[in-house]
């Protein structure tokens, strides 16, 4: 897909796709799927300056409005018992002319070796829910060795309940969320993505934080947290 007006190009390549559908009703916009399996999906997004004029500074952001759907503008109701992704990759590049940094760079995101086993997946209005087990690696070196969670994704947030996240040197348990005005805020991860965590016996290694905040690379600390954290990477607050 090429969209010079918005300044966004998207590409999707698949080695194979398997679909076992129980029901498709186009008139009612209902889909019931037993299995949807992707093998080696490669999805990339390139953003650049488009021809569309910028939004006025006082533009009101739409929030949870069922009459103005963004993820699902056609208003489909889709349920899949099982969705499997094997050895995929996801790339999101902002074509600004600046090279990628050595650490996590919101303008140059590249996740590879993505493996997902998702159950009870549902798209309803602008919300996606699922029970997932996921592993992947990012260009910066941060690795999700295993993430199991009940997830909820909508245009202003990603929420992970009953979470068990294992990264290179850390392990987080219980609840975590990333909140934003729009997914485009990922390009300024340190200051625009508001994190919210309610952790139980979480073990956090400063080397893992340094993938996002490289100034902590020499800190060499292990932190045990049970309690609540809120804020951006650049301004975190803790409680209990």
């Amino acid at each position: 897909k090429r969209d010079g007006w918005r300044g966004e190009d998207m590409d999707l390549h698949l080695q194979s796709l398997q679909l076992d559908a129980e029901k498709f009703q186009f008139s009612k916009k209902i889909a019931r799927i037993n299995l949807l399996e992707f093998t080696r999906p490669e999805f990339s997004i390139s953003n650049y300056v488009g021809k569309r004029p910028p939004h006025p500074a006082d533009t009101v952001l739409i929030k949870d409005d069922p009459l103005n759907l963004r993820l699902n503008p056609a208003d489909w109701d889709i349920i899949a018992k099982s969705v499997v992704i094997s050895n995929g990759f996801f790339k999101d590049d902002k074509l600004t002319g600046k090279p990628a940094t050595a650490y996590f760079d919101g303008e140059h995101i590249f996740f590879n070796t993505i493996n997902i086993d998702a159950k009870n997946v549902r798209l309803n209005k602008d919300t996606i829910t699922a029970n997932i087990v996921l592993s992947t690696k990012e260009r910066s070196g941060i690795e999700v060795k295993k993430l199991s969670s009940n997830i909820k994704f909508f245009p202003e947030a990603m929420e992970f309940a009953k979470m068990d996240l294992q990264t290179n040197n850390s392990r987080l348990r219980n609840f975590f969320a990333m909140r934003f005005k729009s997914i485009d805020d990922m390009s300024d991860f340190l200051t625009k993505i508001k994190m919210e965590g309610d952790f139980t016996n979480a073990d956090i290694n400063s080397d893992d934080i340094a993938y996002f905040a490289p100034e902590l690379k020499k800190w060499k600390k292990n932190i045990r947290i049970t309690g609540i954290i809120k804020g951006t990477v650049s301004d975190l607050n803790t409680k209990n």
Side-chain angles (χ1 to χ4, degrees), residues 56-68:
D58 60 351
T59 298
V60 176
L61 293 171
I62 301 168
K63 285 191 175 183
D64 300 326
D65 183 351
L67 300 179
N68 290 278

Side-chain angles (χ1 to χ4, degrees), residues 120-133:
N120 303 317
V121 181
R122 183 169 190 181
L123 171 62
N124 184 36
K125 300 298 182 183
D126 256 354
T127 300
I128 299 171
T129 55
N131 313 118
I132 69 164
V133 177

Side-chain angles (χ1 to χ4, degrees), residues 2 6 13 28 61 119 193-194 199 212-213 232:
R2 302 289 181 265
R6 296 183 65 242
H13 301 276
K28 296 183 179 180
L61 293 171
K119 307 295 185 186
I193 303 301
K194 295 180 180 179
F199 297 137
F212 303 90
T232 62

Side-chain angles (χ1 to χ4, degrees), residues 38-120:
F38 302 90
T39 302
R40 290 189 61 84
E42 301 177 358
F43 181 53
S44 61
I45 304 173
S46 298
N47 289 282
Y48 49 90
V49 177
K51 298 178 181 178
R52 181 177 64 180
H55 292 295
D58 60 351
T59 298
V60 176
L61 293 171
I62 301 168
K63 285 191 175 183
D64 300 326
D65 183 351
L67 300 179
N68 290 278
L69 300 177
R70 289 153 288 164
L71 287 178
N72 182 23
D75 197 16
W76 275 80
D77 181 11
I78 301 174
I79 297 176
K81 294 179 181 177
S82 178
V83 176
V84 178
I85 296 176
S86 301
N87 199 23
F89 87 63
F90 170 76
K91 190 174 185 180
D92 186 353
D93 263 326
K94 305 293 186 294
L95 304 182
T96 61
K98 294 189 297 183
T101 62
Y103 50 92
F104 182 87
D105 186 341
E107 293 188 346
H108 304 282
I109 299 171
F110 182 18
F111 285 98
N112 60 78
T113 322
I114 301 171
N115 294 289
I116 299 175
D117 185 1
K119 307 295 185 186
N120 303 317

Side-chain angles (χ1 to χ4, degrees), residues 197-203 223-229 239-240:
D198 186 355
F199 297 137
T200 303
N201 295 326
D203 295 302
I223 307 164
R224 170 66 65 91
I225 295 178
T226 294
I228 296 171
I229 66 166
K239 184 177 180 181
N240 297 330

Side-chain angles (χ1 to χ4, degrees), residues 77-218:
D77 181 11
I78 301 174
I79 297 176
K81 294 179 181 177
S82 178
V83 176
V84 178
I85 296 176
S86 301
N87 199 23
F89 87 63
F90 170 76
K91 190 174 185 180
D92 186 353
D93 263 326
K94 305 293 186 294
L95 304 182
T96 61
K98 294 189 297 183
T101 62
Y103 50 92
F104 182 87
D105 186 341
E107 293 188 346
H108 304 282
I109 299 171
F110 182 18
F111 285 98
N112 60 78
T113 322
I114 301 171
N115 294 289
I116 299 175
D117 185 1
K119 307 295 185 186
N120 303 317
V121 181
R122 183 169 190 181
L123 171 62
N124 184 36
K125 300 298 182 183
D126 256 354
T127 300
I128 299 171
T129 55
N131 313 118
I132 69 164
V133 177
L134 174 152
S135 63
T136 185
K137 300 177 182 178
E138 209 275 329
R139 174 198 58 81
S140 60
I142 188 70
E143 179 179 357
V144 178
K145 294 181 177 179
K146 182 179 180 181
L147 167 63
S148 61
S149 178
N150 298 339
I151 68 162
K152 182 178 181 181
F153 175 64
F154 50 99
E156 293 84 34
M158 299 179 190
E159 297 180 350
F160 303 86
K162 296 183 179 179
M163 179 190 69
D164 186 354
L165 169 62
Q166 300 171 47
T167 62
N168 304 51
N169 305 288
S170 304
R171 188 168 186 177
L172 307 179
R173 302 176 180 88
N174 196 22
F175 177 83
F176 178 70
M178 293 185 289
R179 306 193 188 280
F180 32 78
K181 290 183 179 179
S182 83
I183 196 68
D184 293 339
D185 286 348
M186 284 289 181
S187 62
D188 193 358
F189 188 90
L190 297 184
T191 61
K192 289 186 177 181
I193 303 301
K194 295 180 180 179
M195 297 183 293
E196 178 184 321
D198 186 355
F199 297 137
T200 303
N201 295 326
D203 295 302
I204 302 175
N205 189 286
S206 61
D207 285 354
D208 288 354
I209 303 175
Y211 287 112
F212 303 90
E215 61 271 17
L216 298 181
K217 190 171 181 63
K218 295 182 180 180

